[in-house]
Amino acid sequence: MIAPLLLVDGHYLLHRAWHGFPTRITSRDKTIDRTGVFGFAALLRKAQIEHADGFEIFVVFDCEDGSQTRAGQDSGYKAQRPAPDPGLIGSLALVKTALDHTGVRWIEQDGCEADDVIATLATGARAEGRAVDIMTTDKDYIQLLTDPSVRLLNTGIGMERRYITGEHILPRYGVLAEQWPDFRALMGDPADNISGIRGIGAKTAARLLIDGRRLESIPAEDLRPSWMAQRQQVLRWREMIKLDTKTALPDNLLTATPTAPLPTAAQVLEALDLW
């Protein structure tokens, strides 16, 4: 039997390790902050123990120029994001080295955002009949939940709320998972600096998309003139929000075999002489 798959949003997990770990972890002489690599290894191991025993674990990182394609459609795309903490960026290479040491495969695909790579890997794995969990807090992945065998996993919240599946989306947001790009295009996505239409929030967007409507099928009489004037922009935002499930990737990235039990974070740092 082939193993189910846990796809990990690498930059999300590193950001959580760097900013959310309960204490700073330093080298023994207290001169070098190792929180990024220690926290990443600790959180990944905990996720394996609690949620992914017997899974293949695969980590995906954003490429530095990955957002350029979408920024070419809208120059404001992600433009509001501050420069990351130098310490966080400095931890990235060590995280990759730690993954290599523990036998966890990973990719940072040139010119690609992690969400498109994850969407492509998830789609391919599902075509092979593999269940897929995605470890992230990025809501863009909701559009993949049209498949009941895909779940989103957020280990930073209570155990009973950690998984999101397609059946949660309509009660929570008033739209279906397949409508997510339409929904976000209307109401906006502050995380990606997509403003949406002024005056349309989540409730109005859901009302406009009632009964499974898409942007093209919203009756003109339901739209104010000022909203109609932004129609083409909204359609462009929707295309930016859609995940690319056909990203060109190297062959044989996934092994379909379970990842071996991961060592503790302390063991990883010891083996890599990072203390």
Side-chain angles (χ1 to χ4, degrees):
M1 294 180 63
I2 58 177
L5 177 63
L6 175 65
L7 292 167
V8 179
D9 181 341
H11 275 86
Y12 147 72
L13 191 58
L14 177 55
H15 189 276
R16 182 177 159 205
W18 183 259
H19 292 289
F21 212 67
T23 186
R24 305 313 295 177
I25 307 297
T26 64
S27 56
R28 289 193 174 100
D29 61 8
K30 308 298 183 183
T31 62
I32 306 175
D33 193 325
R34 299 299 195 197
T35 306
V37 60
F38 184 96
F40 192 103
L43 291 170
L44 189 61
R45 180 174 185 266
K46 185 176 181 181
Q48 183 187 43
I49 292 170
E50 294 181 347
H51 300 287
D53 182 31
F55 282 59
E56 177 181 6
I57 299 174
F58 191 91
V59 181
V60 182
F61 296 100
D62 284 310
C63 182
E64 186 175 356
D65 63 351
S67 62
Q68 287 187 357
T69 298
R70 287 183 172 91
Q73 298 174 272
D74 187 326
S75 60
Y77 181 70
K78 294 187 176 181
Q80 89 292 2
R81 295 191 179 185
D85 189 311
L88 184 150
I89 294 301
S91 299
L92 183 58
L94 293 177
V95 165
K96 294 172 180 176
T97 300
L99 290 172
D100 289 338
H101 170 73
T102 57
V104 175
R105 294 162 70 91
W106 59 271
I107 188 172
E108 180 181 309
Q109 182 70 6
D110 288 346
C112 294
E113 294 188 73
D115 51 5
D116 293 320
V117 176
I118 287 175
T120 299
L121 291 172
T123 301
R126 286 299 303 127
E128 297 174 354
R130 303 177 68 182
V132 177
D133 289 345
I134 302 171
M135 188 175 175
T136 187
T137 56
D138 188 339
K139 289 186 172 65
D140 284 344
Y141 292 108
I142 284 174
Q143 59 197 275
L144 299 180
L145 300 183
T146 55
D147 188 323
S149 293
V150 177
R151 303 183 296 182
L152 305 186
L153 171 63
N154 177 4
T155 60
I157 58 177
M159 186 71 74
E160 71 283 357
R161 298 185 294 120
R162 288 186 175 182
Y163 287 107
I164 298 176
T165 65
E167 65 183 11
H168 294 121
I169 305 308
L170 183 60
R172 189 171 299 182
Y173 298 104
V175 295
L176 301 170
E178 57 262 33
Q179 294 174 285
W180 191 255
D182 304 68
F183 180 66
R184 291 297 257 186
L186 286 169
M187 65 171 288
D189 184 354
D192 289 342
N193 206 35
I194 293 174
S195 60
I197 296 180
R198 184 180 180 88
I200 295 183
K203 290 183 178 179
T204 301
R207 177 176 57 80
L208 292 171
L209 296 171
I210 194 169
D211 295 331
R213 289 175 181 168
R214 309 307 287 265
L215 293 177
E216 296 86 350
S217 57
I218 299 173
E221 58 267 24
D222 287 358
L223 299 171
R224 299 175 186 173
S226 61
W227 297 352
M228 287 291 290
Q230 297 185 63
R231 187 179 184 86
Q232 291 307 311
Q233 177 66 70
V234 174
L235 291 172
R236 184 158 54 248
W237 285 330
R238 182 180 65 179
E239 292 309 305
M240 293 168 60
I241 294 165
K242 283 182 180 179
L243 300 181
D244 181 2
T245 61
K246 297 182 180 180
T247 301
L249 298 174
D251 294 332
N252 303 317
L253 285 178
L254 303 177
T255 67
T257 58
T259 298
L262 297 176
T264 67
Q267 289 171 331
V268 172
L269 265 65
E270 193 72 48
L272 298 179
D273 198 24
L274 295 177
W275 286 126

